[in-house]
Each structure stands twice: as C-alpha cells, then as structure tokens.
Amino acid sequence: MPAIEVKPGIYWIGINDRTTDLFEGIWPITQAGVSYNSYLVMDQKKALIDLTREAQEGSFLDQIEDVLDPAELDYIVLNHMEPDHTGALGRIRRLAPQATILCTAKAKDMLDAFFGITDGVQVVGDGETISLGNKALQFFAVPFVHWPETMVTYEPCEKVLFACDAFGGYGALRGAIFDDQCADIDFYIQESLRYYVNIVARFSGPVLRAIDKLGGIDIEVIAPSHGLVWRHDPGRIVSLYQHWAQYATSPGDPGVTLIYGSMYGKTEEMMNAVAGGVAKTDIPMEIFDAARTHSSYILPSLWTKNGVLVGAPTYEVSLFPPMTQVLEMANHKRIKNRRAAYFGSYGWSGGAYKDCVKLTEPLEWEWVEALEVQGRPSREDLHRAEDLGERFANLITKG
Ligand code: FEO
C-alpha cells in the first residue's frame, strides 16, 4: 500500500503482515493477519513515528520514500521497543544517521540492549513537547501499555494521537485504513478484543490509568500501530478498551464458556448433554474444543463471561493436558473470580477435577459442582449432565 495522508502533513505508512503465523511467536494470526502502522509527520522538521518488524523492512522503506528521502528525517520516535515496531531500526538508522531517536529513559537502556545504539538518542520526559515548526510532538508516558518503557505521542495542531499498542488490534488492513472507510468493522472489533486479551489484558490497570491520563487531550484521530486508524469515531475504540479493561476486576457478563476435551467421545457425549441444559436458558454460550482450539480464541470468551463449564477426561491421573494449558493461560492473563463447574469421564482413576480446582486457586474461581463418571456415561448420567448445564446457567444468570 502507498503512503496515505491521515491529516495535512501527516502520513500513514505501514506493513500488512499476512505471512507471519504466530504473533509474538504465540498467537495465531494466519487468518486475520496484522498491520504494523507507522506515521510520518512533515513540517520544517520531519519525524517518523514507530517502525515495523525486521522481516518487512524493504516495503517499509519504499513507503517512506513515497514521502521523503530518509536522509531528511530529523527524528525517529520510538513509542515502544517491542521488535514488531523496532525491527527495522538498524536499517533505518543506516539510511538516516542524522536523525535523533526520541524515546523514554527506560527505552534508552533497551535500545542499547537490543541494538547497541547509544548515540543520537534523546530522552523525552512525560508531557514534554518538541516543536517541528508549526506542528509539534508531545509525549506521554503510559508504562505497561504494553511494556514499562512505553509512551504515546500527540500532535496538537492536527490533534492526532499516535498510540502504538494502545487501541490496536489484530487484522491486516483490508484496503482501507480508516474506520469510516471500513465495511467490516465488526471484524476489526472482534480482532481488537482478541488482541486485547492476548496481549494487553494483563496490564488492564495501566490501560485504565492511561485512558484517564489522556482524557484531557483533544483527540480527533487515534492512530495506533496495529489495525484501523480511528478518525470518524476515535471515542469508540477508547470506550471499547475501557470496557475490556474493566473485566480485569469484574466477574464478567452473564454467559458460559464451555471448554471441553475428549479422548474417545465419552466426555464429548456429556458435553452435548450439558450444552443442551444450558440451551434451555437464554444465557449466551460459546463452546471450544481445548485440543483443537488455540487459547488465543478461548481467552476472549473467558475474559468477558462469568461462567466456565470445563469438560475434560482424566489423563494419567491428571487433567487432560490441553485443558491444563487453557487454565494455565487463564492464570497468566489473571482471569479471576469466575464461577465454574466440571464434568468428565475417567477410565481407571479420577484426578482431573482436583487439578481444575488446584490450577484455578490463584484465580479464586468458585467451583459449584462436579460430575465425574467412569467409562461411558449412562442415560442417567446424561440426564444429570443436562440438569447440571441448566442449573449452572440459571445460577450465573443471577450474577
Ligand atoms: Fe505491538 Fe507490544 O508491540
């Protein structure tokens, strides 16, 4: 994609990554892709804000050259040091050795660690402004959104906030870069939620503090480093992030995340009965096969819903390992205070349920009941499973 003018003298340049399979080496993006957005601010002085990952730096340089010769750059702003935004720094630096790198004090240390760069670096303070001529760049520290060194950059003439990871999402750009040009905004919102829970959720406190801190700034455009540029309704993505961050301290909305795994179909039979019980109520439910679904896709449901039904067999006296992985990831993302119930089949020894309870102790999940059967569930067991599903759904409906 060519460089695109966001506001007079401010250009989006960016890379649509449709070939990386795993973002951060963990999270699947084969289907959705991701964009690494950067921006050029052109005035008497010229600034490049955030970069791209190393693998795509060739196209990135072409885009810069659509607007200017890199040798004309005065500043390179590094809002955040994660290599999806700094991978191209070595090559850009060779082409623009005169440009001063602007970053926080913590990022300066990381610049040395990642790139061995110590010269031509200027630390900017929280709230500091640097003039570009008519335009200016103002910097606000937003620690842990996403790393401790992170800041955002604000251009006050055109009222553009370059937010880096904040307000970003998965999803390669589908031709249009602006929210008002986008025919499938639901795709971006869904992928923004998945990105939020995968990448940012653990830092929801810092997200809320950053939103509060930036609340007094007049923002016309939110220009994040992943996903859509919000110029029609920048408040929408801010409200969504605020809403998602609040789940860190709330038990979630009434709803069921039903996660199951099955070795020979016995627990799956129970799952269908449990789901049938839940379906007798009006409560929303999402069902995931833990062995076949990456936790990236399960976490948004766990994050936003208050009820968890876990169906898993016992495997070698322990919880079915794919379910263990999901619950460990819930621990990592600190999905706390959910209500849960267990069902599952075992062959020669139980053990799965006690592992569920143990794994979620740090999360303070309340396990309200468990149904363990040996071997194939009988018709009576399946009736009990159906009743369990209905009872659980009615319980969590009450909050
Ligand atoms: Fe998009 Fe935390 O990097």
Side-chain angles (χ1 to χ4, degrees), residues 197 201 204 244 247-248 299-305 333 335 338:
V197 182
S204 290
W244 297 335
Y247 285 115
L299 287 170
S301 183
L302 284 174
W303 185 257
T304 55
K305 295 183 179 67
K333 298 302 174 188
I335 301 176
R338 298 301 185 255

Side-chain angles (χ1 to χ4, degrees), residues 50-51 81 107-109 154 167 170 177 224 229 245 247-248 258-259 269 354 368 378 397:
D50 292 322
L51 310 176
M81 281 300 299
K108 186 172 190 291
D109 293 340
Y154 176 64
F167 314 124
Y170 296 137
I177 71 164
V229 176
Y247 285 115
L258 196 171
I259 319 164
E269 275 190 72
K354 72 171 172 38
V368 294
S378 65
T397 303

